[in-house]
């Protein structure tokens, strides 16, 4: 199939982009990497009247690493660009582990970090990572800018809190605490397929016991889900302790939808099992940093 | 695909039941419902734009209500939907139950839905979740509509 | 903002200029407008990899790019991998190791593998299999493809093979 008719704009400034969105936002779609939008256009499942291609907007192509401010990723930065940054492993090892899981390298060569966040596919890894690390989205429009925490940004299936005239200009991942443990696990029938279920874990330990935990499940419902009850139950636990209980807790806490690929019950069960693996690996890393032996 | 859920809406049973007879109200509540035309007492023709975010399909659907049973505190009816559109077809067959509660009406539905064509092919893994989302949106809008109809001077029957 | 645009790009080393509808994909520009039908269309949603080409040296899905987005860029298709009719080591290895049958996936795999080997000149088998994840083949079962890629890497490096299968 082929894309439907649309008019095309490729502005070269952010201001021009926001002008276009202010006027045509209701019936326009922003094109960055195109790895999610182009399939929809090819199948004519989306029929925007206008495509606003932001790939020529230099201001959106920033990628900055800073010890104090973390990582700031502009809207047109490719997933591969971030993946290949030499600074990434230390700046955010969770992102470093998550990025190669996204699709295939050919997809990541064009797909953007912000595009994945704005598209909000429930099976995507990046929204779950953003939620696990409390990333902040910079949302801009002709009328101004606002900072949106990840938890408020993701609403439901393919839906974020972006208004029709707004653009996700960049995402900020906070500075990583070197003593933290982390892990991401996902299950897909083939590597690169949409995950049937996935778990992201971030773990802070003090003197060998869990001081803070973040467990985010993805691929199961409309948006990444924080397992807050399980996170609470983990406080004070030690490495390897109560893994079976954590698995059970996640299995009960998570809200799953079924489809022809997998039933809801199966997904919840997988989520539990992945949580066990992810927590175990997160502990190994937390301990390996030496701060918590 | 089975769509099954319950939701308590803050409106009295009688109003919810009567709303099923009001195509204009239903059209306003239905997510993506562009128009709803009554063909006969229990048959409607709907012009629907179903989907989420940028992904939408346009359908013309025939909605048939039948087997309506009305009791003092409970009602039920059978709904059958069959529609066709640009991205394929959509159909549904199932039951809707209304049950009077102290603080409103418990609306439950159990619908076997089928979606075929391009939208289903590409979006299969999102369908039941989005279906539930849209059903939830419909009920939320119905609740809001019925709530706003109640004139402020009328004493609230509940709460 | 009109419905047509003129694009100027380099394809397999040659400058090309075309006036195109803005909704034309790069894949269709290459195939229909330039007659380079080596690039194949399998799914048009980025999954199968048959349409993979190089854009400024990076392997990308040409079905997911608009032709207008290739303006001022450098595109290499399977036709441009070799010069003067001389097969590249990778293409020779494909021939030697029976790494193609119907050939539908082959252009996409050749382009992807070429890009992969540029970045990872000495991969092990696991790395090759991982890199092939983005290209679907219905005929070969991938073994010959994996052997071919490892063999090509070896030939280009002169290093000893790390494959468990015989070259």
């Amino acid at each position: 199939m082929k894309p439907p008719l649309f008019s095309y704009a490729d502005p070269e400034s952010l201001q021009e982009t926001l002008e276009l969105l202010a006027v045509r936002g209701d019936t326009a779609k922003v094109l960055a990497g195109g790895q999610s939008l182009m399939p929809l256009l090819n199948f004519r499942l989306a029929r925007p009247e206008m495509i606003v291609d932001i790939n020529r907007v230099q201001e959106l192509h920033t990628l900055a690493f800073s010890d104090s401010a973390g990582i700031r990723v502009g809207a047109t930065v490719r997933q591969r660009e971030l993946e290949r940054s030499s600074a990434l492993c230390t700046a955010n090892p969770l992102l470093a582990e998550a990025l190669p899981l996204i699709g295939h390298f050919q997809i990541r060569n064009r797909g953007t970090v912000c595009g994945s966040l704005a598209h909000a596919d429930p099976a995507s890894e990046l929204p779950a990572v953003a939620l696990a690390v409390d990333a902040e989205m910079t949302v801009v429009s002709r009328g101004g800018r606002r900072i949106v925490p990840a938890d408020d940004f993701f609403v439901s299936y393919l839906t974020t809190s972006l208004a029709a005239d707004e653009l996700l200009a960049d995402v900020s991942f906070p500075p990583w605490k070197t003593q933290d443990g982390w892990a991401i696990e996902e299950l897909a029938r083939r590597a690169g397929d949409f995950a049937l279920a996935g778990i992201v874990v971030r773990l802070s330990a003090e003197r060998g016991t869990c001081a803070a935990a973040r467990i985010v499940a993805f691929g199961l419902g409309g948006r990444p889900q924080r397992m807050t009850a399980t996170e609470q139950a983990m406080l004070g636990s030690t490495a390897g302790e109560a893994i079976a209980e954590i698995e059970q807790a996640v299995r009960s806490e998570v809200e799953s939808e079924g489809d022809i690929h997998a039933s809801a019950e199966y997904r919840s069960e997988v989520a539990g099992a992945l949580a066990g693996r992810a927590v175990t690996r997160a502990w190994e890393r937390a301990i390996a940093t030496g701060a918590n032996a | 695909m089975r769509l099954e859920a319950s939701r308590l809406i803050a409106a009295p049973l009688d109003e919810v039941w009567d709303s099923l007879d009001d195509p204009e109200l239903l059209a306003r509540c239905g997510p993506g419902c562009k128009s709803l035309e009554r063909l006969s007492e229990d048959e409607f023709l709907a012009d629907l734009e179903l989907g989420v975010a940028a992904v939408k399909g346009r359908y013309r659907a025939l909605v048939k209500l039948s087997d309506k049973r009305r009791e003092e505190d409970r009602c039920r009816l059978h709904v059958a939907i069959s529609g066709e559109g640009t991205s394929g077809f959509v159909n549904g067959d199932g039951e809707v139950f209304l049950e009077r509660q102290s603080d409103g009406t418990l609306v439950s539905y159990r619908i076997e839905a089928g979606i075929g064509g391009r939208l289903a092919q590409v979006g299969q893994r999102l369908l039941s979740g989005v279906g539930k989302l849209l059903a939830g949106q419909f009920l939320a809008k119905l609740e809001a509509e019925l709530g706003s109809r109640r004139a402020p001077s009328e004493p609230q029957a509940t709460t | 903002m009109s419905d047509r645009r003129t694009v100027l790009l380099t394809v397999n080393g040659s400058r090309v200029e075309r006036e195109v509808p803005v909704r034309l994909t790069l894949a269709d520009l290459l195939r229909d407008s330039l007659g380079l039908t080596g690039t194949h269309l399998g799914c048009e949603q980025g999954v199968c990899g048959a349409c993979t080409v190089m854009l400024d040296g990076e392997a990308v899905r040409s079905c997911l790019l608009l032709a207008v987005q290739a303006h001022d860029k450098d595109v290499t298709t399977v036709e441009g991998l070799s010069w003067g009719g001389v097969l590249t080591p990778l293409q020779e290895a494909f021939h030697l190791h029976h790494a193609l049958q119907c050939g539908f996936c082959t252009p996409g795999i050749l382009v992807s593998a070429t890009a992969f080997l540029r970045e990872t000149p000495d991969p092990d088998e696991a790395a090759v299999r991982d890199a092939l994840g983005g290209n679907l083949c219905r005929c070969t079962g991938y073994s010959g493809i994996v052997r071919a890629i490892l063999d090509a890497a070896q030939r280009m490096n002169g290093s000893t093979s790390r494959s468990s299968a015989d070259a």
Side-chain angles (χ1 to χ4, degrees):
Chain A
M1 285 227 35
K2 308 297 173 187
L5 287 167
F6 51 77
S7 57
Y8 174 82
D10 57 342
E12 294 188 12
S13 73
L14 182 57
Q15 190 185 1
E16 207 188 323
T17 306
L18 298 178
E19 265 306 313
L20 283 165
L21 291 178
V23 175
R24 306 285 297 266
D26 276 347
T27 54
K29 276 299 280 178
V30 170
L31 176 65
Q35 305 302 281
S36 303
L37 180 59
M38 285 301 297
L40 296 178
L41 291 175
N42 284 341
F43 286 113
R44 300 193 178 182
L45 290 174
R47 290 170 182 261
E49 287 175 16
M50 168 178 269
I51 295 291
V52 179
D53 184 336
I54 58 172
N55 288 289
R56 292 192 192 279
V57 181
Q58 284 304 308
E59 297 137 274
L60 294 174
H61 197 238
T62 52
L63 177 58
F65 293 84
S66 138
D67 286 341
S68 56
I71 313 176
R72 191 182 194 90
V73 186
T76 57
V77 172
R78 312 285 172 199
Q79 290 155 6
R80 272 292 254 185
E81 282 179 78
L82 183 58
E83 186 186 341
R84 281 163 161 161
S85 314
S86 48
L88 185 64
C89 269
T90 36
N92 195 314
L94 180 54
L95 263 178
E97 186 170 86
L99 283 162
L101 294 176
I102 301 172
H104 306 286
F105 75 92
Q106 300 92 333
I107 301 290
R108 301 197 296 278
N109 275 336
R110 283 299 292 182
T112 59
V113 173
C114 285
S116 175
L117 297 171
H119 181 67
D121 187 303
S124 303
E125 295 83 352
L126 286 175
V129 171
L131 189 55
V133 302
D134 289 323
E136 289 187 331
M137 325 307 194
T138 304
V139 174
V140 299
S141 67
R142 190 176 59 179
R145 72 173 25 212
R146 59 193 184 102
I147 307 292
V148 184
D151 202 19
D152 296 335
F153 186 75
F154 303 108
V155 174
S156 184
Y157 296 90
L158 309 185
T159 310
T160 64
S161 57
L162 285 171
D165 65 338
E166 289 181 316
L167 176 77
L168 176 60
D170 67 57
V171 57
S172 288
F173 297 96
W176 182 263
K177 297 200 217 77
T178 46
Q179 322 91 282
D180 279 357
W182 75 93
I184 175 169
E185 294 269 349
E186 66 178 28
L187 180 71
R189 293 189 65 197
R190 292 172 307 194
D193 276 1
F194 290 106
L196 293 181
I199 295 280
V200 180
V201 170
R202 184 166 66 95
L203 184 72
S204 300
E206 267 158 38
R207 283 183 293 282
T209 60
C210 176
R214 207 44 98 78
I215 304 181
V216 180
F218 63 95
L220 300 154
R223 50 154 284 166
Q225 301 172 35
R226 259 188 75 177
M227 304 283 96
T228 45
T230 311
E231 290 171 4
Q232 270 295 115
M234 273 188 68
L235 297 179
S237 67
T238 56
E241 189 184 343
I243 294 294
E245 280 84 347
I246 292 168
E247 289 178 358
Q248 180 51 48
V250 166
R251 193 184 311 159
S252 328
E253 192 178 351
V254 79
E255 286 173 19
S256 301
E257 282 296 335
D259 64 21
I260 58 162
H261 300 292
S263 69
E265 294 77 17
Y266 179 71
R267 285 170 194 263
S268 296
E269 180 132 359
V270 170
L274 294 178
R277 290 185 199 176
V279 167
T280 302
R281 283 201 300 124
W283 266 117
E284 282 165 14
R285 282 155 169 170
I287 289 170
T289 65
N292 311 294
Chain B
M1 161 181 91
R2 168 163 289 199
L3 293 176
E4 199 169 350
S6 288
R7 189 194 168 112
L8 178 69
I9 69 174
L13 180 75
D14 319 280
E15 281 184 32
V16 179
W17 181 254
D18 289 341
S19 73
L20 298 173
D21 236 14
D22 188 342
E24 271 179 29
L25 170 63
L26 292 177
R28 279 202 299 281
C29 299
C33 186
K34 300 286 174 193
S35 71
L36 190 66
E37 188 193 321
R38 175 175 236 135
L39 300 177
S40 70
E41 185 176 328
D42 289 326
E43 268 187 21
F44 303 86
L45 191 61
D47 188 3
L48 302 167
E49 196 177 58
L50 286 180
V52 78
V55 187
K56 293 198 203 287
R58 199 73 185 249
Y59 302 91
R60 273 184 89 66
L62 189 64
V63 182
K64 270 193 212 174
L65 307 179
S66 63
D67 205 22
K68 287 156 115 169
R69 286 186 230 165
R70 175 93 168 83
E71 289 162 35
E72 177 56 41
D73 288 331
R74 294 139 54 111
C75 314
R76 60 179 287 174
L77 60 93
H78 185 96
V79 62
I81 304 168
S82 82
E84 249 181 40
T86 52
S87 313
F89 66 83
V90 59
N91 55 48
D93 199 86
E95 310 284 315
V96 179
F97 303 87
L98 307 179
E99 212 174 290
R100 191 189 300 280
Q101 307 283 297
S102 57
D103 48 351
T105 309
L106 186 68
V107 180
S108 313
Y109 58 87
R110 190 169 60 225
I111 301 190
E112 282 298 328
I115 309 212
R118 190 67 61 186
L119 189 65
Q121 217 176 336
V122 180
Q124 179 58 238
R125 60 196 172 84
L126 304 180
L127 286 181
S128 77
V130 172
K132 275 207 192 140
L133 189 76
L134 295 176
Q137 282 176 1
F138 169 72
L139 292 175
K141 271 199 162 177
L142 184 65
E143 181 178 54
E145 277 280 340
L146 294 176
S148 71
R149 271 186 169 189
R150 250 170 267 130
S153 58
E154 268 179 30
Q156 292 287 318
T158 59
T159 345
Chain C
M1 278 167 267
S2 62
D3 292 333
R4 300 185 73 89
R5 285 255 184 130
T6 302
V7 288
L8 189 58
L9 64 156
T10 304
V11 180
N12 297 334
S14 304
R15 287 299 268 167
V16 157
E17 184 175 331
R18 287 290 189 278
E19 200 228 6
V20 297
V22 290
R23 63 170 165 158
L24 186 75
T25 61
L26 177 61
D28 287 340
L29 174 77
L30 296 169
R31 291 173 51 80
D32 300 339
S33 191
L34 302 179
L36 296 167
T37 54
T39 300
H40 296 152
L41 293 172
C43 69
E44 286 178 298
Q45 44 173 324
V47 176
C48 75
C51 73
T52 307
V53 300
M54 279 197 263
L55 185 77
D56 287 350
E58 304 273 1
V60 295
R61 308 297 202 209
S62 61
C63 71
L64 299 186
L65 268 156
L66 295 173
V68 294
Q69 293 185 294
H71 181 69
D72 269 351
K73 298 211 189 288
D74 205 311
V75 174
T76 305
T77 68
V78 65
E79 291 92 343
L81 291 180
S82 59
W83 294 87
V86 178
L87 296 182
T88 63
L90 183 66
Q91 288 169 320
E92 268 199 26
F94 264 57
H95 173 66
L96 263 170
H97 294 280
H98 200 51
L100 66 151
Q101 290 181 29
C102 80
F104 193 82
C105 71
T106 309
I109 293 190
L110 286 172
V111 171
S112 296
T114 302
F116 168 67
L117 289 175
R118 278 184 196 166
E119 198 168 305
T120 314
D122 191 20
D124 60 14
E125 186 175 328
V128 171
R129 286 187 179 273
D130 186 61
L132 280 174
N135 292 87
L136 299 177
C137 173
R138 294 295 283 143
C139 299
T140 67
Y142 302 97
S143 308
I145 298 173
V146 173
R147 279 198 296 273
I149 294 174
L150 287 168
D151 185 21
Q154 188 190 339
R155 283 160 190 256
M156 293 191 292
N157 289 339
S159 59
T160 49
S161 169
R162 289 212 259 157
S163 154
S164 56
D166 205 9

